[in-house]
Amino acid sequence: MPAPGIVFDPPFDLHIVRGQSVILADLVKIGGQSISTYLAANPTMQLTFSANFKGGSLPGGWYSGLGIGIITDSVLGGIVQSDRPGPVDNIKNFHLTATVRDPGDSTSNEAVIRIHLHSSIKQAWLSPSILTVQKGINGFRCSVRARFDDDVEAEIGEIYDLNTGRVVDYKFGLTQLKIEWSSPAVNLISATGEITPVGAIALGLHDVSAVISCNGINLAQGGDPTVTANGQVFVADQLSGTRNDITASLVSTGNCPGFARIDEVPNILFIPDGFHIENSNVFNTIVDKYVSELTTGKVSSPFDLLNGSINFWKVFVTSGDEGGTTIGDIYLYDGSGNLKGYRVYEGRKPADSFLLPANWSLQEIIYKIGLSVRSDKSKSNSSLRNEWKSKTSLTPGDIDAIPNGAIDSWKLMGERRIPEEKDTALGITSNNYIAVLNDGNHNIIDFNPKRLSRDNLDTFLATLKDDAGNLIGPKFVKTGNTPGKDNDLIVFFTSAPLGRAKNLSPGGFFTPVRSEVQVHNISGTINDFKRSINVDNDTIEDLPLSSKGTLTHELGHSFALEDEYGEPPPLQSWDRKFINDPDTALHAWVFNAFSGASSLADWSSNTQHKQDLLSSPTPNIADSGIIDAMKIKWRFHRIKKCGVLASNPVQNGANYTITLKSGQADAFIAGDKVFIRRRKAEEFQLIILNYNYKVRIISSTTALETLFGIHLTVTVITPATNTIQATEGANTHTFIVRTGWTIYFTIGEVLTVGKNFVGEPIASMTRTASLTPATVSDTITYAVSSEFEVDSVNSGANQVVIKPASAGNSLGSEYTNPEPGSRMILYSPVLAPAAWGAQFKYAELISKKVIEHLQIAANAFPFNAMPDSSHVNAITEIIDASNEQNSSIPNSLVPCCSSRKKEIVGLYSGGRRYHGNTYHPAGHCFMRSHIHGNSYDEFCAVCRYILVDIIDPTKHAALDEVYSKRKIYPE
């Protein structure tokens, strides 16, 4: 079988002092599993380790040279040993490659990690030099930085991977490093470094120190066995929940309905990180401007239609430093006294078939040779070539062919520094640790696990009041494992100069307030260490377009919109390749095509997986059958009148009395044809604590509220019935979860029960679980009632009486007694042209004309698929990285100018970070691309509809009027 994907997890650079031995096999994941687990289940697969330094093979599976040895060919492979002190011509860093291979079909995949070798530590310190911790919140930790004998800097001790929240105590020799902490302030810091600012600990500055040792190895120059790092902790109470002077205020530009309607409308809260108290006016200005533009339609509709339907709040917290922490190497360049910092690039493996050494750039040299150190700057290119010939596995001919210009650029990277951490209120960090290759998304913005977590920020939020003394904070915090209804609507504004926004889902999201900076202003001189990136918030007059776009995009996620794009391919040449292209398959790039359970898209209203759309699939054969457009999720009725039910329908014979929210019954008149649509606006979930997966609970043998905050252990998993059994003590609880989601559970895993207020897509889908394998689609029923007619309206009582439009129409118990947390709307749909017939009596967001086109077998493909000449011109989905997708929709279906055809609602591939076998509605949408030239892109018609439906369904009529005027609806 083809070799699976293999990674070092995480892939960050390692730093060790010569004399240490480290085991890297524990960091290798094959097919997402540990080495031992994967190889036990796949004994024919081979795993080997190799290095890029010059050496030779020795008995026992060793490869050795330059005072370094590695075991190459066993499950215990990846053992690295280094001599002490090592040869005079030390190699400074090298690459270790782990390769998994199937001898049967000769396929292989590999992962690479870089290891730095040092002789001693020159200097150690704590970063930031002053760390602010918050009274009553435990778990803060200082970071330890070291400067080695070759002037390379590294963070040592506990390293945190923000992608997983996992502690990685390995970056300096795995578990061989020992750090002992102390402080004159009794009980402030534990021996393991955890800071606990509770009890009698006074507010203000306190000294702390860390003594570093390493299994008897002399770490410091001069043979000292230990090195000491010093710093200070400032104990504050800003986030303690005890400060009545810190309050939230409504954003004046937002036309907010105010505290009186806090339970009825969404509440969005803005909080800054990396702003001095002197910058509060900057924060207020950028929030006010953004909200003004959002609610007047200058950012992206339909938020202009929702003006007056959202509360916008802001609260200011001050930081000791401006900016945000960037955990990753930069290199310094002194341009006429203006010190600049530049990103240290990842390596790039040369494609040997077409890229020869004479064409190598800086990135190919980094991959093949390693990184420079400070002393390399003064060496001539010829002397460096001679060194590489004696130390690397490259041939002399290859080394001689490397361009001088690329070598000159390589030497500049010897002036590497790790920017000092910033002392900010929330400790928001961009996690871009340096690695050989860009093996993952390591520039994500998130909370630094050494500082605050999202959960312990609830200490502050729980007591937050507005400036009139009204308590608003509980809307944003958890009670047990139940988040407040607006828990996901917190905007954390970071002043960090770089990083990719992240949505916590739930819990809020991070947004940078400036465009990502590639060139940093650095304080001091090029000979200084402990350098910081300079940030000046007073220069910010407004959010850049990119930040406004990102912020609005993340708001879309918080209102149940999925991504409508695939991840950028590793190589630009892969763009527009077919998703089954052998080149991408050989590299096991996971984002080619989605292959998970269809139910993974159930939470979103604007994406759908292929298995849900197939007609007559062959049992147990994935992707069999053709796309049936009648099953497309966004076949939502267009709406001309709408009201939100204030209580469940009450039956009176064949009729039903519908009580709507205040003032909404007036929209209806006798004779209106109406439907009731329901969705579960909140859902109970099983939360897998190790990975923070949240899986919807369909039913349970135990009252779910009684399990909040209780840890449960998985004991039985039954995929055929979507059942999980878990125990706490002597009690056993049985849960039925979403179809296909049992794959995310493991025996022995720890769970808890929580609740999410995003809930289901706007047309809730009921899945009748299939007991056959997941490749067979479940039966899906859309949660819309049969047709009714308005019999009478009582405006004073906010009531509408409806009667069956046809004999036998009635409301089932799912409407008269729906699940707790359900929300229902009563609506009158837009009539379709009479010629469309009874099946399409009412207009849907996707036109009947488009559905009919897709129902023809020759057209049953997403509109951006292309003919593949290597497979008899079969229409095949492609890797589509473009901001606007190409469209094969015929001109006969374009009601206006051809430039608008990508806005016509149809079927396009891409979604949930994948390019194929998952679909979204339009070729042009804000959730795919935020900015177009110097203006904002727009949400597609489906995304606009979803936002209105979730935030304020009474705006549907206004939205449909806009839809009609855009002339993108084929009639």
Side-chain angles (χ1 to χ4, degrees), residues 45-64:
M45 287 291 181
Q46 296 178 350
L47 174 68
T48 58
F49 293 86
S50 59
N52 69 336
F53 59 81
K54 183 162 287 188
S57 298
L58 296 174
W62 283 90
Y63 177 86
S64 181

Side-chain angles (χ1 to χ4, degrees), residues 338-415:
N338 296 316
L339 194 61
K340 302 292 185 182
Y342 299 83
R343 172 190 173 193
V344 174
Y345 287 99
E346 297 94 354
R348 182 169 57 216
K349 184 178 182 180
D352 296 328
S353 59
F354 66 86
L355 192 60
L356 300 175
N359 298 315
W360 283 358
S361 69
L362 172 61
Q363 288 182 272
E364 279 80 32
I365 295 180
I366 290 172
Y367 181 86
K368 283 293 189 180
I369 291 171
L371 283 172
S372 58
V373 297
R374 202 174 193 210
S375 60
D376 289 324
K377 285 177 56 182
S378 60
K379 296 177 182 177
S380 67
N381 289 1
S382 61
S383 65
L384 285 171
R385 291 181 198 275
N386 289 334
E387 282 190 32
W388 296 346
K389 289 173 184 178
S390 66
K391 296 178 183 179
T392 74
S393 55
L394 293 175
T395 67
D398 284 349
I399 291 171
D400 288 337
I402 297 173
N404 277 318
I407 297 176
D408 292 337
S409 298
W410 179 85
K411 289 191 288 187
L412 291 176
M413 291 201 173
E415 287 287 0

